[in-house]
Amino acid sequence: MARDVIVVGAGPVGLMTAGELRLGGADVVVYERLPQPTRQSRGASFTRRTAECFEQRGLLERLGPTEPADSHFGGVPIDLGMLEEDHYGHRGVSQFRTERMLEQWVGELGVPVLRGREVTALRQDGEGVVVRVDGAGGPCEERAAYLVGCDGGRSTVRRLAKIAFPGTEGRRGFLTADVTGIATRKRRIGENLPGGSMVMAMDLEDGVTRVVVHEAGTPPPRDRDAVAFSDLADAWQRLTGESLHHGRCRWISCFTDASRAAAAYRSGRVFLAGDAAHVQPPAMAQGLSVGVQDAVNLGWKLAAVTAGRAGEELLDTYHAERHPVGAQLARNARAAIELRLTGEDMDPVREVVGELLSHPDAAAYAAGMLSNLGVRYDLAKGDHPLLGRRMPPARTLTLADGTRTTVAHLLHTGRGLLLATPGAGHHLTAGAREFTGLDTVTATWTTTPGEAADAVLVRPDGYVAWTAPGTADTLTDALARWFGGR
């Protein structure tokens, strides 16, 4: 029997997508080309909004201790302490640690993660997608209603679906490694050096230091498999005068400043998420974060359609909402790299950017882009400040029985929420109960000036789709659009 969805790729984005689908009731399987989880850890930080996405599913505490991540744009610091809202991300979290946590979660949900299975071909028709899978048992074909490619920047799914991947070619080369046994000075947001070079060093866990080097004039490596730790250590010593040669390298890789975004996040029954949809240099530690948010946006929608709770048109909102975010990410990453690595000729621009970012309004705008808290979708007509934005998951509520809870806790199930105050009117909650995939909650909650509302409709991804007052559309219209079937 065909599954509802096949997810290709068992990195953080693929696993998050699979978990979101399963929470929504979809029958999903994950195929991963590698036979075992890799110890490599390309991502070591995630943004405030991604932390909130994990918190909405009860996953953040599973990661264990982290430390707050400062913010910067192209090496120009942003003072997050001047902002009313917490924009600090999380750093020192190896990607391996995140993947391990997510794989345990999807395992608890009953999602099979099949390793050593490589998707090599696909075809689709009006009823579904057929993929060819090569594995230890030989090639076979598997069918599903939909396919999600979460298989990285060199995505096979994207190539097979013939989705264009426009953007800029890489001009600069970077080396990165996880190293033990060294005690170099920490340079957590990176340190600019004369001529456009840069070095970075930050703590991970268990005595591991993440090291990144860009030596000005160094082109992208032609063969990433030929990169050796001695190459990085030699460059580090030339730039800093310090030796890392005595360190023990856990893994080493390279990357470039290429920046791309897929022309479409959907082709028929095939979707892209994460690096398969957008790649950029890790100038702002955004790749993993934006990918996880892709997954949280797509998963509940795809699950609702496969279950018959919503129509196919709901899936069109995935590209409409997430493609602009990926395009902005690609643009911002290019700008940040040029600002950081152009050399002394860019010093006057850095000074101007620094002056601008010293003003709270400019700092809030830039921090909102970098934390992803500034994302706003076009979900309905209205003027409420929360409309189209995420509902702060730490917002506390007092339920009718006196129990105190948070929005994040209420979203653990992956269902939508209609939050209504006792005076909002019984007809609101009574009508909403006819819609599946939605929980209705009567409560009082703490609000800040300008955000008070009698009722708020929150999608499963945490974004506000309707408020009363403040939205021109009716609740019935909003429910029909986002929770279609009754």
Side-chain angles (χ1 to χ4, degrees):
M1 180 181 296
R3 295 185 183 270
D4 292 328
V5 185
I6 292 171
V7 174
V8 181
V13 178
L15 294 170
M16 194 74 192
T17 301
E20 293 291 293
L21 284 161
R22 190 70 197 102
L23 280 180
D27 180 12
V28 56
V29 64
V30 179
Y31 290 132
E32 169 55 51
R33 176 180 58 84
L34 298 176
Q36 298 294 333
T38 176
R39 292 290 300 190
Q40 293 189 2
S41 187
R42 298 179 185 278
S45 302
F46 50 84
T47 66
R48 182 68 185 176
R49 179 56 193 153
T50 299
E52 291 183 347
C53 289
F54 288 148
E55 186 181 15
Q56 288 175 178
R57 301 299 183 252
L59 300 175
L60 185 61
E61 62 183 18
R62 295 190 182 203
L63 282 173
T66 65
E67 62 177 275
D70 300 321
S71 187
H72 68 95
F73 189 84
V76 180
I78 302 173
D79 180 7
L80 298 181
M82 75 171 77
L83 307 181
E84 292 184 5
E85 191 166 21
D86 183 358
H87 284 73
Y88 285 95
H90 293 244
R91 70 178 168 212
V93 187
S94 67
Q95 184 169 320
F96 172 76
R97 185 169 147 198
T98 303
E99 287 180 5
R100 182 175 56 191
M101 177 273 289
L102 289 172
E103 186 159 5
Q104 180 181 15
W105 176 56
V106 300
E108 294 168 3
L109 294 174
V111 177
V113 179
L114 305 181
R115 297 187 177 274
R117 311 290 181 90
E118 182 175 9
V119 171
T120 59
L122 70 83
R123 65 181 186 275
Q124 56 177 315
D125 54 36
E127 300 298 322
V129 182
V130 178
V131 296
R132 176 190 169 99
V133 182
D134 290 351
C140 65
E141 287 193 342
E142 299 290 343
R143 185 177 183 89
Y146 297 93
L147 175 73
V148 184
C150 306
D151 52 340
R154 300 181 180 182
S155 171
T156 298
V157 171
R158 186 184 64 237
R159 175 177 56 82
L160 294 173
K162 297 181 172 57
I163 297 175
F165 203 40
T168 60
E169 296 289 342
R171 298 187 294 116
R172 300 177 176 95
F174 300 76
L175 299 176
T176 183
D178 286 352
V179 188
T180 60
I182 61 174
T184 185
R185 175 170 58 86
K186 298 302 177 279
R187 303 157 172 93
R188 292 181 177 85
I189 69 170
E191 180 178 313
N192 292 0
L193 299 174
S197 296
M198 183 273 290
V199 294
M200 189 205 80
M202 64 177 288
D203 293 327
L204 294 181
E205 66 272 352
D206 302 326
V208 177
T209 301
R210 163 65 50 82
V211 179
V212 180
V213 176
H214 167 69
E215 190 169 14
T218 303
R222 292 185 177 181
D223 183 2
R224 69 172 57 187
D225 295 329
V227 173
F229 178 59
S230 59
D231 298 326
L232 183 150
D234 290 346
W236 184 277
Q237 189 162 26
R238 285 192 296 270
L239 294 173
T240 69
E242 302 172 359
S243 175
L244 303 180
H245 291 86
H246 60 283
R248 294 178 296 279
C249 180
R250 284 195 170 185
W251 72 276
I252 185 167
S253 187
C254 59
F255 57 89
T256 78
D257 60 346
S259 187
R260 298 179 179 276
Y265 280 23
R266 178 190 185 187
S267 176
R269 291 177 172 268
V270 177
F271 296 82
L272 302 177
D275 286 353
H278 42 77
V279 296
Q280 62 288 316
M284 297 172 289
Q286 295 251 309
L288 181 152
S289 292
V290 175
V292 167
Q293 293 167 55
D294 291 341
V296 174
N297 185 284
L298 176 62
W300 68 274
K301 297 174 181 177
L302 200 49
V305 173
T306 59
R309 297 192 299 269
E312 184 85 9
E313 63 276 4
L314 180 63
L315 300 179
D316 292 332
T317 66
Y318 173 61
H319 173 90
E321 292 173 5
R322 295 305 298 171
H323 184 267
V325 176
Q328 183 189 64
L329 172 63
R331 182 206 67 181
N332 289 353
R334 290 196 299 270
I337 283 289
E338 294 302 323
L339 182 65
R340 164 153 247 170
L341 300 179
T342 297
E344 287 77 6
D345 289 346
M346 191 65 76
D347 283 346
V349 179
R350 295 187 187 102
E351 292 178 10
V352 171
V353 172
E355 290 176 6
L356 290 173
L357 293 179
S358 69
H359 295 276
D361 287 349
Y365 179 79
M369 289 195 303
L370 299 171
S371 67
N372 309 129
L373 298 188
V375 171
R376 186 169 196 168
Y377 301 137
D378 183 14
L379 303 188
K381 295 182 176 64
D383 57 7
H384 195 280
L386 279 178
L387 190 60
R389 296 189 182 277
R390 105 286 188 221
M391 182 73 173
R395 185 69 55 82
T396 57
L397 307 92
T398 302
L399 304 179
D401 63 1
T403 302
R404 290 179 65 86
T405 187
T406 64
V407 172
H409 183 79
L410 295 174
L411 286 169
H412 283 186
T413 62
R415 295 163 59 86
L417 295 172
L418 178 62
L419 305 175
T421 62
H426 175 71
H427 64 283
L428 287 178
T429 55
R433 288 193 180 96
E434 299 179 18
F435 288 81
T436 56
L438 178 70
D439 294 327
T440 58
V441 177
T442 300
T444 58
W445 62 89
T446 303
T447 58
T448 55
E451 292 186 2
D454 295 328
V456 179
L457 180 64
V458 183
R459 304 191 317 185
D461 58 357
Y463 285 82
V464 175
W466 176 87
T467 65
T471 305
D473 300 341
T474 67
L475 176 59
T476 300
D477 291 339
L479 289 170
R481 182 179 185 190
W482 301 112
F483 300 95
R486 293 191 178 218

